Amino acid sequence: DALRESEERLRTFFTQMNEGAAITDSDGTIIEWNQAAEKLTGIPATKALGRPSWDIQMDLMVPENRSEERRAMLREMTTRCLRTGISCFSLPQEHEMVRGDGSRVVVRQNICPIRTTGGFRFGSLTEDITPHMLAQRALRESEERFRDVLSQEKDYFAAIFDSVNDAIFIHD
C-alpha cells in the first residue's frame, strides 16, 4: 500500500511537472515522455515512446546540424553513457531545438543516470528558456543603444555637469 502511494506520488509529479521529462531504458529507448515534453517538442508520447533517444534527438535537431554521422555519434555516445552510467554531459546543456511544427526554441537540458538492478537508464529534464534568452538579448541591445547615445552626447552631458554644483560622474 505504501509502495503504491509512493509510485502514485512520483507518477503525479512526473506527469504534472512544467519541464519536459523523458526516461530511456538501458538500450536508449524512450520509455517515459510526459505532457510537458509533448508540449515543448510537439512530439506526442505515442510517437516518442518505443523509439531510440538518438532518433528523437535528430528529429529535434536544427536541420543544418543533422547528418547520418551526427546520428551515429549520438547513438555511440548514448550507448557508452548507458553502459558506464556516466552522464553524457557534466553540466546542463543549452541549445536550439526545432519543434514538430518547425518553430525553434532554446532549451536547457539536464541528463542524469538512473541506476537499476539491470544497469543504467537516463532521465532528461528539458525547459524552454527562449523567453529568458530573448530578454537577455533585448537587455544587451538596450545597453548598446544607451552606450551609443551616451558616447555621442558626452560633450552635452559634460556641459550640464559643469553647470551644477552636485554633479554625477559617468565613467565609461
Side-chain angles (χ1 to χ4, degrees):
D1 196 39
L3 178 60
R4 192 184 90 256
E5 286 179 18
S6 175
E7 288 176 353
E8 285 178 20
R9 280 193 308 273
L10 288 173
R11 171 68 47 200
T12 299
F13 175 74
F14 184 82
T15 59
Q16 294 182 358
M17 65 189 337
N18 292 325
E19 292 81 10
I23 298 176
T24 66
D25 67 10
S26 59
D27 295 322
T29 302
I30 303 289
I31 59 172
E32 297 286 347
W33 189 261
N34 74 355
Q35 292 173 348
E38 289 183 338
K39 182 179 175 185
L40 178 62
T41 65
I43 299 173
T46 55
K47 299 232 189 252
L49 296 173
R51 289 185 62 205
S53 61
W54 49 86
D55 285 349
I56 297 290
Q57 289 173 302
M58 288 297 293
D59 290 350
L60 298 172
M61 190 175 293
V62 294
E64 56 269 22
N65 291 340
R66 292 180 192 157
S67 69
E68 285 309 311
E69 293 81 17
R70 178 71 54 104
R71 181 187 308 275
M73 187 263 314
L74 288 170
R75 182 178 184 165
E76 189 279 323
M77 184 173 67
T78 301
T79 303
R80 180 174 23 88
C81 294
L82 286 165
R83 188 177 57 252
T84 64
I86 299 171
S87 182
C88 303
F89 309 106
S90 58
L91 297 172
Q93 299 295 300
E94 294 180 359
H95 56 91
E96 189 174 34
M97 176 181 84
V98 178
R99 291 180 167 151
D101 65 3
S103 62
R104 293 181 180 219
V105 293
V106 180
V107 296
R108 178 179 296 126
Q109 185 176 33
N110 285 297
I111 299 173
C112 64
I114 303 168
R115 182 183 294 275
T116 69
T117 55
F120 292 97
R121 296 178 176 175
F122 273 92
S124 169
L125 291 177
T126 307
E127 69 177 310
D128 181 356
I129 60 169
T130 305
H132 175 72
M133 299 302 286
L134 292 173
Q136 281 185 328
R137 181 184 310 154
L139 179 60
R140 275 193 312 273
E141 290 170 358
S142 174
E143 288 173 344
E144 288 171 14
R145 284 192 306 273
F146 179 74
R147 281 190 194 97
D148 288 345
V149 167
L150 189 60
S151 68
Q152 294 170 7
E153 301 298 332
K154 279 185 180 176
D155 293 336
Y156 175 73
F157 286 120
I160 291 174
F161 294 142
D162 284 343
S163 67
V164 294
N165 291 333
D166 296 321
I168 300 172
F169 293 97
I170 299 176
H171 187 282
D172 190 15

